[in-house]
């Protein structure tokens, strides 16, 4: 077992080193994925045509939200309401369209969030650990950041927002606005010296570069990374994964101040740092709100301080974001990304309860968005960046505690859990002082097993559990949702958004995108024709 553990650690370190491990068999570059997306779109359009444009887009990403997470999360939601659980409904299961996204990256079979979020937001698949760049040569001086749905929306005068429960520079949110050869370059101390002259850390990119600095809503954690560490933050049970990083900027720049200073005094800008301040915003009149609620990631929902001086829930952040993006100062619609980022963190530590509770909160925030918008003009997409390796085992009975036992014993007369993991720290957690003897589940008290940081059993000892490589669900409702059917490469999601909402690279393929412009032109033409039809026919005769 010691050997296994060493092996696991060795592999982990390989993962932590730089990206491209081997060359993919195809030339999977920008052009390749662009063509794939366009062809997929054309194929779908053969059987159905759009009837409406999506004025607004809300994209929910459950980080690590595998199908097992959705099913078990649905059961937990029901059981929290005192029901059996299995029959419970979650809101997005009644969305009219469901597709499956293939999540592999150009370098790995099982992906990470950097590459998958880049695929979703920019429409281009890339290498694992890379953000906003198409298969870059490590640390190349020449680079071209891939534009995302946030850039496209801003070009069309739409408001834009980004909400997450992780720090705002973490892989998934960063892919919306930044580029990086490696996802770790969130802090100036993490950027290798040899590239410092031509590369700035992603925290600076957020505050100093488009499209980050022009976003209307930026909600998440990461004060450390923005150089504004809050020494008063207390009682935090942070995600304690071994790959977790912190930041103590050597440049000592306070990027929150820098962000606020760059706006003209005509623009209404606000910085908020807790729930009370978030709820007190004058939503109708504000243009830009930066909400940074934690030094690093936000706390797990069930462990949060729910008072005004605490951290807001994902639902509260979603509500505030929509109010700001859709306020009376905005007529052009908006694009909002909402990430539930800690489903993934909990799974990595085999904390099944926390992962499912994060899911329940995500589902609530989706309800908030449904309540505040109309499917006539708002496209809502619910998806995941990648799966995880939580396993949903047989044979529990109806109504058995989803976080409990499978109500039976295995061949060795040993009780086992309904939810276990393929890999992760749960293996050693359940052995007696790291010997090979597994402590029987009967020996845990009810209190121990219901502790939020209790770990479920895992098959293979790894200091951090791995992601899953299976396809993820893409549930959608609203204008253009029909585009997200069947099984497609994950990067197609970005192009479906482009087409549906008349922003970005394939807006031109959508006849409805032209209609506004053309309607004006053809109206003036018919007016001219009614004034002088004789003149017009004379003109044709001369031409002939
Ligand atoms: C905005 O800034 C300009 C230039 O610094 C100044 O002249 C003006 O008085 C300011 N307006 C307000 C409302 O503060
Ligand atoms: C959404 O609206 C329903 C019906 O009005 C209400 O019961 C529910 O609490 C709302 N949910 C949220 C999250 O706002
Ligand atoms: C592990 O070792 C400690 C100290 O030797 C002991 O108190 C504890 O009971 C052991 N735990 C198990 C599960 O055997
Ligand atoms: Zn992860």
């Amino acid at each position: 077992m010691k050997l296994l553990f060493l092996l696991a650690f060795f592999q982990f370190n390989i993962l932590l080193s730089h990206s491209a491990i081997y060359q993919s068999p195809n030339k999977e570059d920008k052009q390749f994925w662009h063509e794939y997306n366009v062809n997929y779109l054309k194929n779908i359009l053969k059987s159905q045509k759009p009837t409406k444009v999506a004025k607004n887009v809300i994209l929910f990403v459950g980080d690590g939200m595998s199908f097992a997470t959705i099913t078990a999360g649905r059961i937990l939601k029901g059981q929290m309401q005192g029901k059996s659980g299995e029959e419970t409904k979650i809101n997005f299961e009644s969305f009219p369209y469901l597709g499956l996204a293939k999540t592999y990256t150009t370098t790995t079979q099982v992906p990470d969030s950097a590459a998958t979020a880049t695929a979703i937001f920019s429409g281009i698949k890339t290498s694992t650990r890379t953000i906003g760049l198409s298969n870059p040569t490590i640390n190349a001086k020449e680079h071209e950041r891939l534009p995302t749905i946030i850039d496209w929306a801003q070009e069309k005068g739409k408001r834009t927002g980004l909400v997450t429960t992780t720090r705002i520079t973490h892989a998934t949110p960063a892919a919306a606005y930044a580029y990086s050869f490696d996802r770790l370059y969130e802090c100036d101390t993490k950027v290798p010296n040899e590239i410092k002259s031509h590369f700035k850390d992603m925290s600076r990119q957020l505050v100093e570069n488009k499209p980050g600095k022009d976003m209307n809503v930026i909600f998440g954690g990461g004060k450390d990374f923005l150089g504004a560490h809050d020494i008063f933050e207390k009682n935090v049970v942070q995600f304690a994964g071994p790959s977790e990083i912190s930041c103590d900027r050597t440049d000592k720049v306070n990027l929150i101040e820098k962000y606020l200073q760059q706006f003209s005094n005509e623009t209404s800008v606000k910085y908020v740092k807790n729930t009370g301040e978030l709820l007190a915003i004058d939503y109708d009149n504000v243009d830009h709100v930066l909400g940074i609620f934690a030094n690093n990631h936000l706390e797990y929902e069930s462990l949060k301080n729910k008072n005004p001086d605490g951290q807001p829930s994902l639902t509260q952040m979603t509500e505030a974001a929509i109010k700001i993006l859709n306020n009376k100062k905005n007529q052009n619609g908006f694009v909002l990304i909402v990430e539930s980022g800690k489903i993934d963190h909990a799974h990595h530590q085999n904390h099944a309860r926390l992962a499912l509770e994060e899911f329940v909160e995500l589902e609530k925030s989706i309800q908030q968005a449904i309540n505040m918008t109309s499917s006539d003009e708002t496209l809502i997409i619910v998806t995941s960046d990648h799966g995880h390796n939580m396993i949903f085992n047989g044979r529990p009975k109806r109504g058995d505690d989803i976080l409990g036992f499978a109500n039976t014993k295995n061949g060795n007369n040993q009780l086992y859990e309904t939810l276990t993991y393929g890999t992760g720290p749960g293996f050693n957690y359940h052995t007696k002082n790291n010997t090979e003897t597994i402590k029987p589940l009967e020996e845990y008290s009810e209190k121990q097993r219901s502790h939020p940081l209790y770990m479920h059993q895992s098959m293979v000892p790894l200091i951090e559990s791995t992601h899953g490589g299976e396809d993820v669900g893409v549930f959608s409702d609203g204008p253009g949702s029909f585009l997200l059917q069947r099984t497609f490469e994950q990067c197609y999601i970005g192009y479906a958004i482009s087409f549906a909402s008349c922003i970005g690279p394939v807006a031109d393929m959508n006849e409805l995108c032209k209609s506004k412009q053309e309607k004006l032109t053809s109206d003036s033409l018919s007016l001219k024709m009614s004034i002088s039809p004789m003149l017009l026919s004379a003109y044709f005769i001369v031409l002939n």
Side-chain angles (χ1 to χ4, degrees), residues 315 364 367-368 371:
T315 305
K364 199 171 153 199
Q367 190 59 50
Q368 186 69 59
N371 284 13

Side-chain angles (χ1 to χ4, degrees), residues 251-269:
D251 63 11
K252 301 293 169 201
V253 181
N254 184 330
L255 290 170
I256 292 180
E257 276 173 15
K258 197 162 185 192
Y259 172 85
L260 296 172
Q261 281 160 5
Q262 69 191 326
F263 293 98
S264 75
N265 56 9
E266 315 292 303
T267 315
S268 169
V269 189

Side-chain angles (χ1 to χ4, degrees), residues 21 111 129 139 211 277 334 346 359 401 411 437 449:
I21 292 162
R129 298 194 70 85
N139 302 341
E277 293 179 4
F334 63 85
F359 170 83
D401 179 1
T437 322
R449 283 194 40 90

Side-chain angles (χ1 to χ4, degrees), residues 418-489:
T418 301
L419 301 178
T420 61
Y421 286 84
T423 62
F427 184 97
N428 284 333
Y429 183 91
H430 287 277
T431 57
K432 289 187 166 173
N433 284 336
N434 289 353
T435 66
E436 285 172 40
T437 322
I438 292 171
K439 179 175 168 179
L441 292 169
E442 289 95 327
E443 290 183 16
Y444 293 87
S445 67
E446 193 58 35
K447 197 174 160 212
Q448 284 171 323
R449 283 194 40 90
S450 60
H451 191 279
L453 298 180
Y454 171 82
M455 290 182 186
H456 281 234
Q457 290 176 321
S458 118
M459 158 94 192
V460 176
L462 284 187
I463 45 181
E464 183 172 277
S465 146
T466 56
H467 295 162
E470 77 281 13
D471 296 350
V472 294
V474 184
F475 305 77
S476 60
D477 187 17
S481 51
F482 75 93
L483 299 167
L484 292 160
Q485 295 182 61
R486 309 174 195 169
T487 301
F488 40 79
E489 297 289 356

Side-chain angles (χ1 to χ4, degrees), residues 40 44 65 67 70 74 92-101 380-384 471-477 480-488 492:
Y40 195 90
I44 291 279
M65 186 176 69
F67 278 112
I70 296 176
R74 173 209 285 142
F92 59 89
E93 71 191 32
S94 50
F95 281 8
Y97 294 97
L98 169 59
L100 291 182
I380 299 184
I381 301 170
V382 178
T383 189
S384 173
D471 296 350
V472 294
V474 184
F475 305 77
S476 60
D477 187 17
S481 51
F482 75 93
L483 299 167
L484 292 160
Q485 295 182 61
R486 309 174 195 169
T487 301
F488 40 79
Y492 167 70

Side-chain angles (χ1 to χ4, degrees), residues 63 113 344 348 386 388 467:
D63 199 312
S113 294
D344 177 73
H348 276 303
H386 54 72
H388 238 285
H467 295 162

